Amino acid sequence: MEFGLTEEQTMLQQSIDRFLQTNCPLDRVRELTEDGAVHDTETWQGLTDLGVTGLIAPEQYGGLGMSLLDAMLVQEMLGRHVTPVAFTATSVLAALAISRAGTEEQKASWLPGIADGSLQIAVALSEQSGARDNAGLVFEDGTLSGHVLFALGAPEAQVILVNGPDHSLFAVQADAPGVERQALRSIDDTQVIAEFSFSETPATQLQADQALLDQLVDAGRVMLAADTLGAAQHMIEKAVDYAKDRKQFNRVIGSFQAVKHMCAEMAAELEPCRSLVWYSAHAFDDIPDESRLLACHAKAHLAEVGRFVARTATEVHGGMGFTDLMGLHYWFKRIGFNRQILGSPERAREDAARIQGWI
Amino acid sequence: MEFGLTEEQTMLQQSIDRFLQTNCPLDRVRELTEDGAVHDTETWQGLTDLGVTGLIAPEQYGGLGMSLLDAMLVQEMLGRHVTPVAFTATSVLAALAISRAGTEEQKASWLPGIADGSLQIAVALSEQSGARDNAGLVFEDGTLSGHVLFALGAPEAQVILVNGPDHSLFAVQADAPGVERQALRSIDDTQVIAEFSFSETPATQLQADQALLDQLVDAGRVMLAADTLGAAQHMIEKAVDYAKDRKQFNRVIGSFQAVKHMCAEMAAELEPCRSLVWYSAHAFDDIPDESRLLACHAKAHLAEVGRFVARTATEVHGGMGFTDLMGLHYWFKRIGFNRQILGSPERAREDAARIQGWI
Amino acid sequence: MDLAYGPEYQAYRQQVRDFLESSKEHWPLRSGLGKPNAELRRWQSMLIERGYTARTIPKEYGGYGGEPDILKSRITAEEFTRAGAPGGLAGQGVSMLVPTLLDMGTDEQKQQWIPKTLSGEVLWCQGYSEPGAGSDLASLQTRATEDGDDFIINGQKIWTSTAHEADMIFCLVRTEPDAPKHQGISYLLFPMDTPGIEVRPLNTMTGLAEFNEVFFTDVRVPKSSIVGERGQGWLVANATLKHERGMLGDPNTAGTRLSLIIKLMQEETVDGSSLMENPVLRDRLLRLQSQVLAMQFNGLRLLSSSIKGESAGIARLIVKLQGCELNHQLAALAIDCYGELGILYHGSPRLRARGNWQRQYMFDLGLIIGGGTAQIQKNIISERGLGMPREPKPASPAVKSMAGS
Amino acid sequence: MDLAYGPEYQAYRQQVRDFLESSKEHWPLRSGLGKPNAELRRWQSMLIERGYTARTIPKEYGGYGGEPDILKSRITAEEFTRAGAPGGLAGQGVSMLVPTLLDMGTDEQKQQWIPKTLSGEVLWCQGYSEPGAGSDLASLQTRATEDGDDFIINGQKIWTSTAHEADMIFCLVRTEPDAPKHQGISYLLFPMDTPGIEVRPLNTMTGLAEFNEVFFTDVRVPKSSIVGERGQGWLVANATLKHERGMLGDPNTAGTRLSLIIKLMQEETVDGSSLMENPVLRDRLLRLQSQVLAMQFNGLRLLSSSIKGESAGIARLIVKLQGCELNHQLAALAIDCYGELGILYHGSPRLRARGNWQRQYMFDLGLIIGGGTAQIQKNIISERGLGMPREPKPASPAVKSMAGS
């Protein structure tokens, strides 16, 4: 019995951590995202060299065939460093969708590109967690029409996976006729979202069903929770460091009971979240019966705790936390973004009630 | 323009405060309620002498014809001193019901007794805020059958006012055939509740409608909110006093920032409640359009803030707050009782949504 | 309990309404805190003439010269809000410097500055906060050393809104470095174009530069620029700081936000159902409505106390703490109602309410921190409101070793 | 990540199950903390024989004499819970005195007390807390003065559960009044029937007397009753206090409560609809479910760390704070679900669940306060877990005047 990470997993996480710290520090993130969200291709290339982009893709297609738990550990580090790369969309969601619901031909044409980092795929699932502004698609005569909102994935994605009517899933070439991409700009310029419109656009169908779509939503939720975990952990560390250093009234502020208790409360709330996220990823890999419920809880709970930590860590920083000077708000916004995408906490809890047969 | 109490109202409140402090201190409350909830007839007599029991009853029947705002100020003091008298049931709810929906004969037979404190009336309205355990009545051939839960009012009440089917209101003599009273014992032995069963029991109907029943629920909710206001205010004062006195680690605990902030948070939450309760009572008296909404908010909000104060003040007292020695729990339980009676906060908020046409 | 305003005030209200109705053509297009244009200054002068702004400031200093009347001030504010009419000038010169000068300035200073400030001819910024002195404002480090009849100022200020447009600054500097920290400060007035002043915009988490940093390098200012006594700047500033804190957490802001959220919940849909049909979001809305109402009625109580000249005690001390938090929670609910749409910002397609909810959610956090953090507010409530003891002063290391503990 | 226990442990689990299945006739009717009867003592001896309790205590002291095996201990606990079987004796003698003696006792003390304690022949109570020394336990005042070979004890203890039934007490007393406060304390063992001891039941807000006060008036105890060195009682006690704190906030309690609430929400109705159909209550349930799951998985992580002999750091430090609060919130939800029925108590007609939810709601508040208040827990988390500084010691008035500040 072991509830924890293997030595390999710890090493994987540490190496990603070191790589991002060196190669994609906040200054770089600032510079890259000055005019809006981007996908950092240079950092992506570095991650490719570390084997990360092919983590989920099966070995026979050049990937590593590793687990969601491993991918989650990577995403935690991406959250920790507010890294602007679209890892979840291509390397996790698209890799899972294609390897589980693709034909041999579809697998052969896309998985190798995912594995070697050369292919970017955008994924539009948000209507699974509630359609706004009449979003939705129709499929007629082999073509898609309509629009989908909040697609995750790099602006230069060559393929778009979209959730269509009747639990269907389609792949569309980004340069196919009738495709329009409209960037949506959010508070968080380290993560890319876009709206896609289709007008009689040719689309290739995958062998999806509701179960597969559920799995994709689950995986996405676990990854968002992991991202928030990493970002929130970092905010606590920054707050504690700041409190140990900053002086007011001739004392470091970290010696005031009020400040100490704010930090203690953040840590007390976040620490159990780590185990919840671990378990939810493990359940996705190995305990399918529990997977859906746990994904809902991980998403919802990290959203709530993340909001509390983001706000409290900012408060501990006082005015400095509110300015752009220290860049603390990059983490604040990343956590805010993760809260809403793929289902708000209220929505995720409603799903959890349904999964347990309570409604 | 004046949002506040008149000099007379302040004096009324102060005189009740002094009377209760002298004549019904905690030691007396303890002694009286040792074996369960009672109505303290001696204190009731004292309140009668102060004119309080006839506060609402119209002047022509020997009462003072004063406002709910005045009655609310009295109830606040009763909460402050956890006084075991059934003031709201007889002097407020029954007085309002009979003076607004009684025939001349009914008024003449009951209001003078309310005014001079000789009559006790129990009031059963709780099915207006949700029926549990199949509570409810049928009215056939001039008689009532069925049962009602959570009737407020003294054990020795001679008359019972009950909400019947189709927005009706009945008066039943406590010694009429088929009446059974079953005391319910709650956490709070300073307030009396009971269940009544009727079996073909003769009953006198009042000229009630839904509007009148709503008014009674509103008045009851305002009174419960006022009671919690008084009890919670007292708990804060006790906590502050204790914190100024108790020493730990060679300091009074009230000099620790954590303790100071707990007290500040209680005061910050409770202080605006005072204005909310004042306004809600004033609305009942003079702004009928706003009355129902405000009663819901006063009830719900005081329930939430009351729970927070009750718990936090107990924490400030440390182990002493948890023991019976200081009797702090009398206030804790009174607040807990008020929270649930005549509609939980969730229920009151749902009512508020309905009143505003949101659902 | 009497919520009616009485016939005199009814008449006054009508008069304000009539004015607003008849003056629409003069309403300036923009108002706010920055440098006023001619249109805005004309509007300001119309308002002063009728006592709708600068009501109690003596005529000789360019004010209306009326008696204080809290109800009239409130009625004016209510009617301007109801009509959506722009108010008078509201910068820190009008709201903070003018009261300070009236209280503590020399005749000459009053003559020189109040009329031009009221008319909008001179725009001021405030130089109080410093990077190293946040909650502990009195520990400020900007130093003024003597040089003949002048001070030479070196140091840095932060959170200086409108500094980039201001003509003048009222500024706290340390003139007596050896005095105890509250006693070595002086309150100075000087032009922002004095050589050696550099203004840099200060971006915040909202993405906007609502504030500036101001750097002083050998800035030469005549000693006559002092308001009040030398070394008593702390007292001078504190007399008006209270005003600033009292303004934060206004329950009317919360009331306006609540109405907007009700509207959005009735109009926005998810999967075709309105958000108001979602019982969980609705319950959150109702919890906040309870708090908004309580704070609004608390505001009425404060108004009533002011009219009677009574202290409202804790009821006033809590306004900033509770009000700012409430506003923040309202913005949070709005964001949550919008779901995925709630994260849009920066003029994105499909953006709702011009991104105001996200901006406010962040800016409110700044307000919770600024003007006395929530922690400082709780200290104040417990000490001044509840009479609890201050934290004991820590033993300094030197003292500790002397005492052998 | 491997949640399976492996074949050896599967076999062990089966063995425990088989035992429980075959031993039902021996299950004692009552268990708990008080004085054990013959039936309970027989059961205890059956459990020790198989290593299901007192597993690691050497055979010579009446234990099973096994190697420590955290997984076996956990499996045992799981299976006993699952079967609803009564566990072994769990009073403070077994859980706190026995480990203390094993660690710090003389051979004679071990021989004399451990076997009788394990068998249930001797029941102990704990004399640590005092009315004047709550969070600041080391400031205790109960004094033992020397008189030849004896101590004469005077003072008062509080929160002494089972004192009215106990045969013996392990007790902290101040033997060196002039030593610094942590260094003047000794740890004594003496019989509860020693003349001069008075036990008074201590009623709490739940209405029950879960605790006692114990008064000492000239209680004469031989000096040989000391465990450890004289004046080092603080160290002796602290070694086992940690155990007590670790036990509070157990996530399995929360898990059990959650299941009960799910059931009640499915079964109870208002106006004919089940409570589970109420979206607002359901959302609260789900929020709590998230927390219960997180704390249960945190528990798995702690278990895993223990097996590997690693420190779990903050993950362990937070258990008491978060766990007790969570239990309290669960009880609050249950009460709210019952609505008006939720306030019933004291065996009232229509009472649900024997009033357990109200009792727990109140008792949990006692747990939040006891064993280190929430405030003390947050100090510990911030200092030991996050490495934040302790609060500076206050300057004493004498020192302050010396330093002239």
Side-chain angles (χ1 to χ4, degrees), chain C residues 4-25:
Chain C
Y5 281 10
E8 177 195 357
Y9 292 105
Q10 300 288 24
Y12 179 77
R13 189 187 290 280
Q14 194 54 51
Q15 181 196 320
V16 180
R17 275 188 200 181
D18 292 345
F19 166 74
L20 288 173
E21 188 58 37
S22 66
S23 66
K24 280 207 170 129
E25 69 206 276

Side-chain angles (χ1 to χ4, degrees), chain C residues 225-334:
Chain C
S225 318
I226 288 190
V227 177
E229 298 297 310
R230 181 168 160 173
Q232 302 211 338
W234 182 249
L235 292 175
V236 178
N238 256 298
T240 40
L241 255 183
K242 275 184 220 158
H243 286 270
E244 187 191 45
R245 288 192 183 164
M247 283 155 52
L248 294 172
D250 178 9
N252 294 317
T253 311
T256 307
R257 285 196 190 180
L258 185 79
S259 307
L260 291 172
I261 298 176
I262 291 168
K263 197 148 169 283
L264 91 80
M265 286 181 68
Q266 286 168 331
E267 290 171 358
E268 288 279 336
T269 60
V270 183
D271 293 335
S273 304
S274 94
L275 294 175
M276 199 56 105
E277 294 170 59
N278 179 320
V280 176
L281 293 173
R282 197 171 66 225
D283 191 67
R284 262 175 78 186
L285 173 70
L286 284 155
R287 281 171 184 262
L288 291 169
Q289 188 178 38
S290 291
Q291 293 177 50
V292 170
L293 290 169
M295 290 307 291
Q296 285 180 324
F297 302 144
N298 188 65
L300 289 181
R301 186 173 157 210
L302 296 181
L303 176 66
S304 217
S305 301
S306 299
I307 293 171
K308 289 191 279 186
E310 292 172 2
S311 152
I314 288 181
R316 192 176 305 279
L317 292 177
I318 61 158
V319 170
K320 198 254 167 185
L321 179 69
Q322 297 300 94
C324 289
E325 181 64 32
L326 181 52
N327 284 333
H328 185 63
Q329 294 304 330
L330 285 161
L333 173 58

Side-chain angles (χ1 to χ4, degrees), chain B residues 255-270:
Chain B
S255 73
F256 283 99
Q257 212 180 18
V259 175
K260 286 166 72 172
H261 286 194
M262 286 164 90
C263 292
E265 285 163 14
M266 287 192 281
E269 290 292 329
L270 190 65

Side-chain angles (χ1 to χ4, degrees), chain B residues 1-4 6 9 69 240 243-244 251-252 254-255 257 259-261 263-265 267-269 271-276 278-279 282 287 293-294 297 301 304 346 349 352-353 356 358-359, chain C residues 1-5 71 262 266 276 282-283 285-287 289-291 293-295 297-298 300-301 303-304 307-308 314-315 318 321-322 375 378-379 381-383 386-392:
Chain B
M1 185 277 173
E2 166 134 19
F3 187 85
T6 62
Q9 286 169 331
L69 181 61
V240 169
K244 286 177 184 168
R251 292 163 57 174
V252 293
S255 73
Q257 212 180 18
V259 175
K260 286 166 72 172
H261 286 194
C263 292
E265 285 163 14
E269 290 292 329
E271 196 61 31
C273 291
R274 181 172 304 281
S275 302
L276 177 62
W278 284 0
Y279 193 100
H282 177 62
I287 323 173
L293 179 63
L294 266 297
H297 276 300
H301 193 51
E304 304 291 9
E346 290 81 12
R349 284 191 292 268
Q356 294 178 93
W358 294 350
I359 45 175
Chain C
M1 197 64 81
D2 174 11
L3 304 183
Y5 281 10
L71 268 185
I262 291 168
Q266 286 168 331
M276 199 56 105
R282 197 171 66 225
D283 191 67
L285 173 70
L286 284 155
R287 281 171 184 262
Q289 188 178 38
S290 291
Q291 293 177 50
L293 290 169
M295 290 307 291
F297 302 144
N298 188 65
L300 289 181
R301 186 173 157 210
L303 176 66
S304 217
I307 293 171
K308 289 191 279 186
I314 288 181
I318 61 158
L321 179 69
Q322 297 300 94
Q375 284 62 51
K378 290 178 193 172
N379 286 348
I381 294 166
S382 61
E383 289 164 17
L386 302 173
M388 298 182 80
R390 290 171 153 274
E391 273 200 287

Side-chain angles (χ1 to χ4, degrees), chain D residues 127-128 130 138 140 142-146 151 153 157 169-177 179-190 221-237:
Chain D
Y128 286 5
E130 297 185 5
L140 59 89
T142 294
R143 249 200 309 183
T145 51
E146 289 185 77
F151 285 124
I153 302 174
K157 295 290 174 181
I169 185 168
F170 53 101
C171 188
L172 293 177
V173 298
R174 189 166 296 284
T175 47
E176 265 66 23
K181 73 177 181 181
H182 290 83
Q183 289 162 40
I185 297 169
S186 296
Y187 189 107
L188 300 181
L189 313 179
F190 51 93
V221 168
K223 284 183 178 169
S224 61
S225 318
I226 289 189
V227 178
E229 298 296 309
R230 181 167 160 174
Q232 302 210 339
W234 182 249
L235 293 175
V236 177

Side-chain angles (χ1 to χ4, degrees), chain A residues 1-4 244 251 255 260-261 264-265 268-269 271-272 275 279 282 297 301 304 349 356 358-359, chain D residues 1-2 4-5 282-283 285-287 289-290 297-298 301 304 308 322 378-379 382-383 386-387 389:
Chain A
M1 186 275 171
E2 166 134 20
F3 187 86
K244 286 178 184 168
R251 290 163 58 174
S255 73
K260 286 166 71 171
H261 286 195
E265 285 162 14
E269 290 292 329
E271 196 61 32
S275 302
Y279 193 100
H282 176 62
H297 277 298
H301 193 52
E304 305 291 9
R349 284 192 292 268
Q356 294 177 94
W358 294 350
I359 45 174
Chain D
M1 197 64 82
D2 175 11
Y5 280 9
R282 197 171 65 226
D283 191 67
L285 174 70
L286 283 155
R287 281 172 183 261
Q289 188 178 38
S290 291
F297 303 144
N298 188 66
R301 187 174 156 210
S304 217
K308 289 191 278 186
Q322 298 299 93
K378 290 178 193 173
N379 286 348
S382 61
E383 289 165 15
L386 301 172

Side-chain angles (χ1 to χ4, degrees), chain D residues 290-353:
Chain D
S290 291
Q291 293 178 52
V292 170
L293 290 169
M295 290 306 293
Q296 285 180 324
F297 303 144
N298 188 66
L300 289 181
R301 187 174 156 210
L302 295 181
L303 176 66
S304 217
S305 300
S306 299
I307 293 171
K308 289 191 278 186
E310 292 171 3
S311 153
I314 289 181
R316 192 175 305 278
L317 291 177
I318 60 159
V319 170
K320 198 255 167 183
L321 179 68
Q322 298 299 93
C324 289
E325 181 64 32
L326 182 53
N327 285 333
H328 185 63
Q329 294 303 330
L330 285 162
L333 174 59
I335 290 169
D336 288 353
C337 283
Y338 283 123
E340 274 107 340
L341 289 167
I343 55 172
L344 298 182
Y345 202 56
H346 293 300
S348 173
R350 301 200 181 271
L351 182 62
R352 299 299 205 268

